[in-house]
Amino acid sequence: MSDWEPKIIAFLCNSCSYGAADLAGVGRMQYPANIRVIRIPCAGRMSPKFVLSALREGADGVWVSG
Amino acid sequence: MDKCIACGACTAKCPKKVVNEFDGRLSKRKAVYVDYAQAVPLKYAIDDSQCFFLTKGKCKKCETVCPTGAINYDDTAQDLSINVGAVIFSSGCKPYDPSTHDVYGYNSSKNIVTSLEFERILSSSGPFGGHLVRPSDNKEPKKIAWLQCVGSRDVHIGAKGYCSSVCCTYAVKEAMLAKEHAKNGLDAAVFYMDIRTHGKEFEQYYNRAKDEFGVRFVKSKITNIVPTEDGNQLLRYIDESGNLAEEEFDIVVLSVGLEVGQSAIKLADKLGTKLDKYNFVSTSSFSPVSTTKPGVYTCGAIEAPKDIPSSVIEASASAGSAGSALSESRWTLTKTKETPSELDIRGERPRIGVFICCCGTNIAGVVDVPGVVEYVKDLPYVTFSDQGLFSCSQDALNNLAATIEKQKLNRVVVAACTPKTHEPLFQETLGTTGLNKYVFEMVNIRNQCSWVHKDNHELATEKAKDLVRMAVEKVALMGPLKEVELEINQTALVIGGGIAGLQSAKTLSEQGYHAHIIEREERLGGKGLSIHETWMGENVAENVDQLITAVENDDNIEVHKASEIKHVDGFVGNFTTTIQSSDATVDIEHGVTIIASGANELKPDQYLYSEDDRVMTGLELDRKIITGDASIEDTQTVVFIQCVGSRIPERPYCSKVCCTHSIKNALTLKKGKPDMEIYILYRDMRTYGLREDLYREAREKGIKFLRYNFTKGIEVDYDGDDLQVDFTDTVMRRKMSIRPDMLVLATAIIPPQKNPLAQMYKVTLNNDGFFMEAHAKLRPVDCSTDGVFLCGLSHGPKPIDESVSQAIAAATRAVTLLARKTISISGTVAEVNPKDCSECGGCVSICPYSAPSLIEESARFFPGRAQINPALCKGCGLCVASCRSGAIRLHGFDNDQILSQIAAISE
Amino acid sequence: MTLEKIGAVMVVGGGITGMQAALDAANTGYYVYLVERSPSIGGLMAQLDKTFPTNDCAM
């Protein structure tokens, strides 16, 4: 179990969190590589369908940020 | 410079360290450097005064590591001759340097910093990574003091007599942010003469600092600072009652003012513009951005110390004034890009091209780019994949276009840096081949992959593959989107015929546009008709008359007096406003709207106002001065009461103009009758910027300024027939009485109680009832509703010069729309399928932009169902998420497109 | 000979004010030369951490 790494799907708002993730890169901040980002225009676009679908497709966690 | 890809290899190798001016004295940078990570252009520069090779002829380390061969040691300054029709002088100010006349020990203590250095301490990209520490020993501070007016409001050698206008509010901000940063509690104290938070909503910010954050504000005069053995600073000061006091602080922040730099002074000389005694560019209240030299305009802090919103307003105004002067040459020198007509790819099987960028070693140094290219080849519909050293370079873009045509690609994926900066560039390239710009996806494998996982090449490569796969799945489902082109009606509507409204209509006309002015009253001029002189001493009536005459004789301007707005329809580019006068109802079609509807002077219900003729408001005194009222001659003692109806719990804002207005009137009275006794009862004197000179003059002329205790209040009553004003003086700390034979109340500027315009044009009001701008700093004259602009008192209290600037700015911002003639609406908009709509109205109520509406009941098709106006839709997708019937889709971020990305998270 | 006005504007100084003036002049139909002494535009505002009263990032 100790090697287990969760797979996380992140839905990031294009006008804020997505830009923040870019800046984390500019600042060369290091974080684990098990996150997959899906860019959405606004957190308001988020739908429960996406969360359920992500979990069904094998995601261990879903992160919505906006 | 074109070759630099901002990888930073040169900086990493450069052996020479120098003081980083960007962080004040707090950090070092290399001789080859970029100011900060988000710099524009993001290109490294060599500091020729520091570079080992350029100064000593040896080193060239950066040249050897630069992957693109961008280093050019032979680059030298060149003289260029450029012909232009107008010049905008916007050199700004620099912070006052406390080291030249070092009265506080700034040079000898690391823990005495300037406010700009403190900004860098707070900044997460600053020298301490945003950790609040004491510079001498990196310990967390317990107590920080801010000293106001360092180098400002001071006539001693080296300092400046004016008020720098911004320091009070930035000190309030820094104190609040410092408290937020400090994990273990922090005592923050601001030592001040007057707190000048006169900008829009700044007073509420100051109140929050006091009441919610517990920042201490100490009215005082600093005598000196003594460093202690443990690195603290002992602050000695005289408090408000004249007693000596002292207190120790870990850090002392000097709130330094703004001053004009030597290079700007030289530049002004070259441009031939006149400077005032403080070296600010001379302007006038009614032409606030015109210099003394025709064709040269100015804006920002080079004109007078000012904050960001005022600077940005003036920036638009100066561009507009330049535009007014050159309007016959509009669009003669600009360049237009040619694009071919669009290819029809409907019904074609997807042919996806995937281009993976190495970004030098930025991506390829971590991600196995050839591996990703190979991997991609087996993904569905991918017909081509390749890598590029720098996909954004001009030759790579040419290659991209050629490949699209050669391989007949109809979908494109670029995996490189971030779409936030580079998507438009690639989309433009797609456009040059005739492909629709929406059959494109960008994958962020630099900022969100190689840069953040640089120690794990394998996982980073795996992540890059996943992200590309997800994008390929999505792009297969993308189709061309239409960007609707809307014609913009070339007429403007200006609401309000006061100074701001008149000026903005005049500017629009000068730029060649037709404008309507709607004025509720029978005559134009607004509040300008009641003011005697500006703070600079210009006659207001004469200037307003000139403005009215110019507007009334202008064929481009139609004036509608005694008219009210009844109804508004439409949106940016196509408004219809119905106005009603006593004899007619008229529909005006217009493309843009400028709101200049003004505000009023409060008529108070206290201090015997309206009961006694000797009690009047500030503007009523102006009236008496203008008409030469005989009662002035008989007046011996005058009392002005400041902040009547402003800065109180039910009206927390500062009305900005009243301090200067009272002083101006007091000086006028004193000039007419030098033995007149004049008292001004105040809370904080807010003669900001260059107005400070008036305050000094008033004190020199014997006008007495008494600071009253606000909590104890002021009583105005009769003593026999005489008026008696009772208050508690904060210096003497005792009750005082004055018996004036004239009492002037500096009352608040108040917005209308009910403001139907807000509803009609779908613009918001702030808590105080003034119109709200789209962004407090960067869009100070735009409304959040497209095509609606703001100026004058309806936006917030301000003096005439600022109203005029804002009026020119509002007209200019309106022209940026009008000049385009059409607007194209982004293709990423929501659309309703009316067949599925359940008519619940959820989308109508949830949309922040009022884009959805219900189709009229009388319509032939789909009455009652929802529809979305693409011109208003911003593509946020809120309606899509809220639609319980699944009737709405968002083009470009459709359910199936996002679900296909999700489905592709695992192979 | 009538002199035609040149439809170009030079903005001297690339701080927040100069940038806004340049954008507005360009968007109202004039060719703009933005002249800045230092290697990057942004001026004093780029050095600030946050701005009042909203505490937005100054960048």
Side-chain angles (χ1 to χ4, degrees), chain B residues 482-529:
Chain B
K482 244 204 157 86
E483 295 199 333
V484 186
E485 289 263 310
L486 287 179
E487 297 253 332
I488 298 176
N489 183 309
Q490 296 289 295
T491 300
L493 178 77
V494 178
I495 303 169
I499 292 176
L502 292 168
Q503 181 62 52
S504 50
K506 182 165 171 267
T507 306
L508 284 161
S509 161
E510 285 164 356
Q511 303 245 1
Y513 294 95
H514 192 73
H516 293 267
I517 296 181
I518 302 173
E519 170 57 51
R520 195 180 3 212
E521 306 292 330
E522 297 279 352
R523 59 184 294 193
L524 296 172
K527 287 288 163 296
L529 301 171

Side-chain angles (χ1 to χ4, degrees), chain B residues 147-407:
Chain B
L147 310 191
Q148 297 309 107
C149 301
V150 174
S152 308
R153 299 183 65 189
D154 184 352
V155 286
H156 293 97
I157 182 161
K160 314 288 173 188
Y162 54 81
C163 157
S164 290
S165 193
V166 299
C167 331
C168 283
T169 318
Y170 78 55
V172 170
K173 173 196 72 174
E174 290 183 356
M176 281 162 83
L177 291 176
K179 279 199 165 248
E180 277 180 0
H181 274 248
K183 292 176 204 84
N184 305 314
L186 175 81
D187 177 48
V190 179
F191 292 82
Y192 73 98
M193 291 202 271
D194 294 280
I195 287 293
R196 294 187 170 169
T197 42
H198 47 267
K200 189 177 180 184
E201 292 182 25
F202 291 4
E203 181 72 11
Q204 292 90 319
Y205 191 65
Y206 168 44
N207 289 338
R208 245 172 71 212
K210 265 191 310 195
D211 305 337
E212 288 173 35
F213 281 71
V215 176
R216 289 190 291 137
F217 290 87
V218 187
K219 187 166 163 78
S220 54
K221 275 201 181 95
I222 306 295
T223 50
N224 61 337
I225 304 177
V226 187
T228 65
E229 275 181 13
D230 53 358
N232 283 351
Q233 330 295 321
L234 182 67
L235 201 66
R236 293 211 174 110
Y237 62 95
I238 300 168
D239 72 10
E240 196 178 6
S241 330
N243 301 320
L244 265 170
E246 55 181 42
E247 196 176 341
E248 241 179 82
F249 291 92
D250 298 78
I251 300 178
V252 170
V253 182
L254 305 179
S255 294
V256 292
L258 298 170
E259 64 177 345
V260 179
Q262 281 305 319
S263 57
I265 296 172
K266 279 186 204 143
L267 201 53
D269 185 47
K270 280 183 205 160
L271 289 169
T273 59
K274 201 178 140 217
L275 302 181
D276 69 12
K277 65 175 177 181
Y278 297 121
N279 292 320
F280 291 105
V281 176
S282 301
T283 58
S284 65
S285 294
F286 287 88
S287 309
V289 294
S290 301
T291 69
T292 48
K293 172 108 171 178
V296 179
Y297 304 90
T298 188
C299 51
I302 185 80
E303 191 265 336
K306 58 175 69 77
D307 60 12
I308 297 168
S310 310
S311 298
V312 172
I313 289 170
E314 283 188 357
S316 295
S318 65
S321 298
S324 291
L326 304 177
S327 68
E328 65 210 57
S329 306
R330 189 192 306 282
W331 299 126
T332 52
L333 292 178
T334 49
K335 297 171 182 174
T336 318
K337 288 200 168 112
E338 300 280 330
T339 44
S341 56
E342 193 173 309
L343 296 169
D344 187 0
I345 61 162
R346 281 174 301 176
E348 283 182 17
R349 186 179 187 278
R351 293 176 59 82
I352 303 174
V354 184
F355 298 82
I356 317 276
C357 177
C358 295
C359 196
T361 56
N362 277 298
I363 294 170
V366 176
V367 172
D368 171 18
V369 172
V372 179
V373 171
E374 276 314 300
Y375 168 78
V376 165
K377 287 196 165 130
D378 297 330
L379 293 176
Y381 302 120
V382 172
T383 47
F384 180 84
S385 80
D386 197 6
Q387 66 184 64
L389 187 60
F390 298 106
S391 298
C392 60
S393 62
Q394 196 51 53
D395 56 322
L397 291 173
N398 295 342
N399 182 42
L400 171 64
T403 312
I404 290 173
E405 279 164 8
K406 194 167 155 216
Q407 301 284 337

Side-chain angles (χ1 to χ4, degrees), chain A residues 7 14 22 30-31 36 45, chain B residues 418 420 444 451 453 895:
Chain A
K7 190 163 210 167
N14 184 50
D22 282 344
Q30 301 296 304
Y31 54 80
R36 303 289 178 265
R45 174 68 187 92
Chain B
T418 168
K420 297 206 61 120
N444 192 333
W451 275 355
H453 311 309
N895 276 346

